[in-house]
Amino acid sequence: MSESNRIRVAYRAAGSTDDWQVMRRTSGGPALTMNTENSNEVLGDRLVSDLILQSAETGGSLEFEFSATSFDDWLSSAFCKAWSADDPVVGTDTLVIGVDDILFDVLLSYQDINRHIKFNSMRVGQLDLTAEAAATMTGTLAFVGTDYDADYDPTADTFLPATTTRVLRGVDVGTISMEGTPMTGTCIPGFTLSLNNNYQAGFCLGSLSPGKQVKGTAEPTGTLTISMTADTFDTWKQLIAQSEMSLEFPFGDGTTSYTLTIPRLKASGDLPVPGANEIVNWEWNYTALRDANGIALQLTRTTA
């Protein structure tokens, strides 16, 4: 009987023989979904004659606690763009949404029974990040890929240990700015980001697995939870007017810092009417939009 805490997930550049980088995770990982359907044959005895395997899709979701530098490769895959090094200054790297497929092979190992499955050409179909006050920053990577090797032998491979940078928490979020103004007098209990790349699996005759994965529109959305004040009420009235806003969300561990910038967004949010003994918070649902420079999301990374 295989043990859950002996499962290892590792990745490397797709098609390469590089060393495997062990991933940090809390649950989940790459998976194979078998899509079946019953035969429609009618034989006169009311019984189903067969169960037919129609396709086998590589995907799955990996949940993690966010730590600096640990998921930078996968952030690149989610943004469909490589990090631009030393941009705009030396020591700061920039990531924006692009059009490239950033692919990795992912190895799922049941180490105690010595069984391994290699998932090929995996990329991020959807990235979700969550930051909440008095809680750990978490995320989810939803994979999409092409084919797999259920008989992979990693005996001769090298595995690099998982990173050891500390897990970030809500307290590691800096001062959030809206419209370039720090929201120093506003309590913000939570923030989420979801980046959906809308990949579509392209199946071909003669193969159970997709022959390709085709990305669609990049949809960056999320929520911002805000405590009710006179200032935030006045800002909420801008939502009704469909006014455009910008947002900066900084976080880091003191050694590596990130700033997520949304230069143009629109949002909506219902007026909160809570019950007794509840804090009056409301949740804004935002969508990041393309600005005049062709940027919807920008993530900068700076190493102290």
Side-chain angles (χ1 to χ4, degrees), residues 27-90:
S27 64
L32 181 68
T33 300
M34 294 183 288
N35 300 308
T36 61
E37 65 179 33
N38 291 342
S39 170
N40 290 318
E41 289 182 329
V42 179
L43 303 179
D45 58 6
R46 300 195 309 112
L47 302 180
V48 177
S49 65
D50 200 2
L51 181 68
I52 304 169
L53 176 63
Q54 301 290 15
S55 64
E57 296 187 56
T58 53
S61 295
L62 182 142
E63 291 77 41
F64 61 89
E65 297 172 333
F66 190 91
S67 54
T69 72
S70 301
F71 302 95
D72 288 359
D73 288 340
W74 291 105
L75 291 172
S76 175
S77 182
F79 277 67
C80 295
K81 184 79 172 179
W83 288 90
S84 178
D86 294 330
D87 176 19
V89 296
V90 175

Side-chain angles (χ1 to χ4, degrees), residues 17-296:
T17 57
D18 297 345
D19 295 343
W20 294 100
Q21 174 63 61
V22 175
M23 296 187 70
R24 299 167 69 170
R25 68 185 187 95
T26 56
S27 64
L32 181 68
T33 300
M34 294 183 288
N35 300 308
T36 61
E37 65 179 33
N38 291 342
S39 170
N40 290 318
E41 289 182 329
V42 179
L43 303 179
D45 58 6
R46 300 195 309 112
L47 302 180
V48 177
S49 65
D50 200 2
L51 181 68
I52 304 169
L53 176 63
Q54 301 290 15
S55 64
E57 296 187 56
T58 53
S61 295
L62 182 142
E63 291 77 41
F64 61 89
E65 297 172 333
F66 190 91
S67 54
T69 72
S70 301
F71 302 95
D72 288 359
D73 288 340
W74 291 105
L75 291 172
S76 175
S77 182
F79 277 67
C80 295
K81 184 79 172 179
W83 288 90
S84 178
D86 294 330
D87 176 19
V89 296
V90 175
T92 297
D93 308 319
T94 301
L95 187 62
V96 297
I97 295 176
V99 298
D100 303 323
D101 290 314
I102 310 296
L103 310 178
F104 300 99
D105 292 338
V106 181
L107 185 65
L108 173 64
S109 297
Y110 299 93
Q111 297 181 91
D112 55 340
I113 61 172
N114 195 29
R115 294 293 183 269
H116 313 270
I117 306 174
K118 183 164 74 76
F119 296 85
N120 299 319
S121 297
M122 299 283 263
R123 77 284 320 262
V124 178
Q126 181 166 320
L127 166 71
D128 293 294
L129 295 175
T130 298
E132 295 180 342
T136 298
M137 290 184 64
T138 60
T140 301
L141 299 170
F143 300 118
V144 293
T146 52
D147 57 355
Y148 64 97
D149 180 359
D151 297 309
Y152 186 78
D153 182 4
T155 303
D157 295 349
T158 299
F159 289 82
L160 303 177
T163 63
T164 58
T165 49
R166 71 172 177 83
V167 171
L168 299 188
R169 308 148 295 163
V171 72
D172 294 311
V173 175
T175 300
I176 299 170
S177 295
M178 182 172 288
E179 291 293 286
T181 301
M183 302 176 72
T184 52
T186 303
C187 177
I188 300 176
F191 173 84
T192 70
L193 169 70
S194 179
L195 176 54
N196 186 353
N197 287 309
N198 285 297
Y199 274 99
Q200 302 295 315
F203 288 92
C204 306
L205 292 174
S207 176
L208 282 174
S209 300
K212 56 186 176 180
Q213 291 281 353
V214 180
K215 58 185 170 296
T217 301
E219 294 182 350
T221 60
T223 61
L224 183 67
T225 305
I226 306 177
S227 291
M228 170 74 85
T229 66
D231 289 339
T232 58
F233 181 84
D234 290 341
T235 303
W236 173 80
K237 290 192 291 186
Q238 298 180 44
L239 307 186
I240 295 294
Q242 280 283 277
S243 298
E244 297 177 0
M245 304 177 185
S246 63
L247 187 72
E248 288 189 359
F249 183 81
F251 55 99
D253 63 2
T255 300
T256 303
S257 62
Y258 299 85
T259 299
L260 178 68
T261 301
I262 305 174
R264 176 176 174 242
L265 66 81
K266 288 186 177 181
S268 63
D270 296 336
L271 282 171
V273 186
N277 303 317
E278 295 181 16
I279 297 175
V280 185
N281 292 329
W282 54 16
E283 187 173 271
W284 293 2
N285 300 296
Y286 69 82
T287 298
L289 305 170
R290 182 187 190 277
D291 75 352
N293 297 315
I295 296 174

